[in-house]
Amino acid sequence: MVLLRAKCILIGNSKVGKTALAQTFHSEGTHFPKSYSLTTGVSTCVKTVQIPDTPHSVEMYILDSSGNELYSDLVVHYWENPSMVALVYDVTDPQSLASCPMWLEKVRSQKPEIAFPGALIANKSDLTNRWVVNSEEGRRFADGKGLAYFETSAKDSIDVDAPFLYLATEYYKLYEDRVRGLIN
Amino acid sequence: MTNVALLQKGARIPLCTANNEEHPAANILDGNNSTFWLSTGLFPQEIIISLSQSSLVTSISILCSHVKELLIEKSVNEDAGDLENLLRSELEFQETLQKQEFKLSSPTLIRHIKLIIQSGYDHFVSINSVTVVTS
């Protein structure tokens, strides 16, 4: 049994629900923060994810990073040697998707020589009558950047695990490829 | 010219920051270049190699993969305290294994060495072997 460790950068504009996603995922759906509180700097939570059909798991250090510009110089210091990125936008706010290329570039520039798994998370999917950004737009952006696309609702605890499980599984595949390369 | 960083010569690894059950750190000292220790993610990674006794070392070699910034510290204390910088190097990227020999300017008394891998060219780095040569 192998326990891998990964630094997962969780980022996106302010108020898209990054902290709500992190806390809902961490608490397995039992805790959704009902009132908004701006994350200052970076808050970390640790969650171990079992890779399906294997005895192996990935311990994810999720760096829930403030999307507020005030902290943008500060947060990048925590992003050294990232293992994976979870990019979040709010389906009711087109500007939050428009900012995603900038966030992605900021994370990738930390380690340009290494490819790492990435997920694009369209959050607040429960607000059905307020959707402004349709799935097609999100999916197109994700495809163009080599990200996997997910729709979640942290509030209703819908599909919150899926992006994190995807990232952990892709990370594990990178590890397996390395082992194979070293043995051959 | 003998390599003392071998399990059969009494060398041990008392500390390694990534415990990989399938590719354990002891593989570094087994004298076999095809077995390896593989890190399990995140940087930095640290490994202490303890020799069976203090020895006058003339060179240290490493066979590894995807290692970028490497620091080596040494200690002459029994308990691996008072570590001092020995060398620092940035290894070049290689598709295959990286091989690097560090010749010490003069024979140096060493009981323990600590390898610190500060960054890599991949999420995971391997060390296949470390050779510590005494005069």
Side-chain angles (χ1 to χ4, degrees), chain A:
Chain A
M1 190 206 86
V2 174
L3 176 68
L4 302 181
R5 292 195 168 94
K7 188 193 270 192
C8 176
I9 313 294
L10 180 63
I11 191 63
N13 277 7
S14 285
K15 294 182 288 196
V16 297
K18 297 179 292 297
T19 302
L21 278 167
Q23 295 189 4
T24 307
F25 173 58
H26 184 250
S27 66
E28 295 175 9
T30 60
H31 177 70
F32 171 75
K34 288 194 184 67
S35 53
Y36 179 72
S37 149
L38 173 74
T39 300
T40 57
V42 171
S43 81
T44 309
C45 70
V46 185
K47 174 94 173 168
T48 304
V49 176
Q50 169 105 32
I51 306 302
D53 309 318
T54 76
H56 311 302
S57 40
V58 178
E59 192 173 61
M60 297 175 85
Y61 292 75
I62 300 170
L63 268 59
D64 175 16
S65 310
S66 177
N68 190 296
E69 242 175 79
L70 263 178
Y71 303 100
S72 61
D73 290 340
L74 175 72
V75 297
V76 291
H77 291 295
Y78 295 89
W79 292 357
E80 222 186 344
N81 294 312
S83 313
M84 51 183 64
V85 58
L87 198 55
V88 188
Y89 73 93
D90 170 354
V91 294
T92 71
D93 174 12
Q95 189 52 46
S96 66
L97 176 62
S99 298
C100 284
M102 180 272 292
W103 288 123
L104 186 61
E105 191 41 48
K106 269 195 174 176
V107 181
R108 285 200 170 146
S109 67
Q110 294 297 310
K111 202 77 184 169
E113 69 267 42
I114 297 186
F116 44 83
L120 180 68
I121 304 172
N123 192 34
K124 308 195 189 178
S125 66
D126 54 285
L127 299 174
T128 39
N129 52 359
R130 287 174 53 200
W131 272 62
V132 184
V133 187
N134 63 39
S135 305
E136 202 42 53
E137 286 172 74
R139 203 165 267 134
R140 202 180 317 126
F141 171 73
D143 286 351
K145 298 286 185 187
L147 307 170
Y149 175 78
F150 297 89
E151 288 172 3
T152 61
S153 163
K155 180 175 163 283
D156 294 346
S157 193
I158 293 167
D159 292 335
V160 169
D161 293 1
F164 296 103
L165 183 59
Y166 164 80
L167 290 171
T169 306
E170 290 300 303
Y171 189 67
Y172 175 71
K173 284 184 194 163
L174 292 175
Y175 171 83
E176 269 197 318
D177 287 347
R178 282 283 280 128
V179 171
R180 224 172 286 128
L182 280 162
I183 286 172
N184 295 332

Side-chain angles (χ1 to χ4, degrees), chain A residues 181-184, chain B residues 3 5-6 23 26-37 61-65 96-99 126-131:
Chain A
L182 280 162
I183 286 172
N184 295 332
Chain B
N3 174 21
L6 288 167
H23 304 283
N27 285 352
I28 297 169
L29 306 180
D30 65 358
N32 180 347
N33 286 345
S34 59
T35 62
F36 52 88
W37 163 77
S61 306
I62 182 166
L63 185 69
C64 55
S65 70
T96 52
L97 292 180
Q98 300 159 302
K99 207 173 189 172
S126 78
I127 300 182
N128 295 51
S129 73
V130 171
T131 310

Side-chain angles (χ1 to χ4, degrees), chain B residues 53-87:
Chain B
Q53 58 187 39
S54 293
S55 314
L56 272 175
V57 174
T58 55
S59 78
I60 296 172
S61 306
I62 182 166
L63 185 69
C64 55
S65 70
H66 295 86
V67 172
K68 192 174 180 184
E69 293 165 272
L70 173 71
L71 240 86
I72 302 183
E73 298 178 341
K74 56 134 182 154
S75 166
V76 288
N77 282 12
E78 275 304 299
D79 61 1
D82 296 328
L83 287 152
E84 292 169 45
N85 284 340
L86 185 64
L87 54 97

Side-chain angles (χ1 to χ4, degrees), chain B:
Chain B
M1 292 282 284
T2 21
N3 174 21
V4 289
L6 288 167
L7 292 171
Q8 64 187 57
K9 295 260 173 73
R12 292 290 178 265
I13 295 186
L15 178 140
C16 175
T17 48
N19 173 30
N20 186 332
E21 285 180 16
E22 293 179 350
H23 304 283
N27 285 352
I28 297 169
L29 306 180
D30 65 358
N32 180 347
N33 286 345
S34 59
T35 62
F36 52 88
W37 163 77
L38 185 57
S39 76
T40 54
L42 302 185
F43 292 97
Q45 294 288 340
E46 300 187 352
I47 291 174
I48 293 182
I49 298 175
S50 300
L51 307 177
S52 64
Q53 58 187 39
S54 293
S55 314
L56 272 175
V57 174
T58 55
S59 78
I60 296 172
S61 306
I62 182 166
L63 185 69
C64 55
S65 70
H66 295 86
V67 172
K68 192 174 180 184
E69 293 165 272
L70 173 71
L71 240 86
I72 302 183
E73 298 178 341
K74 56 134 182 154
S75 166
V76 288
N77 282 12
E78 275 304 299
D79 61 1
D82 296 328
L83 287 152
E84 292 169 45
N85 284 340
L86 185 64
L87 54 97
R88 173 188 289 270
S89 174
E90 182 163 328
L91 275 65
E92 276 175 37
F93 174 77
Q94 298 276 339
E95 285 286 350
T96 52
L97 292 180
Q98 300 159 302
K99 207 173 189 172
Q100 186 86 45
E101 185 183 7
F102 305 103
K103 286 201 158 71
L104 305 185
S105 50
S106 60
T108 306
L109 195 65
I110 293 176
R111 175 76 163 87
H112 311 272
I113 62 170
K114 183 177 186 178
L115 307 170
I116 303 166
I117 303 165
Q118 301 232 315
S119 63
Y121 294 102
D122 190 77
H123 300 287
F124 312 104
V125 294
S126 78
I127 300 182
N128 295 51
S129 73
V130 171
T131 310
V132 175
V133 175
T134 58
S135 48

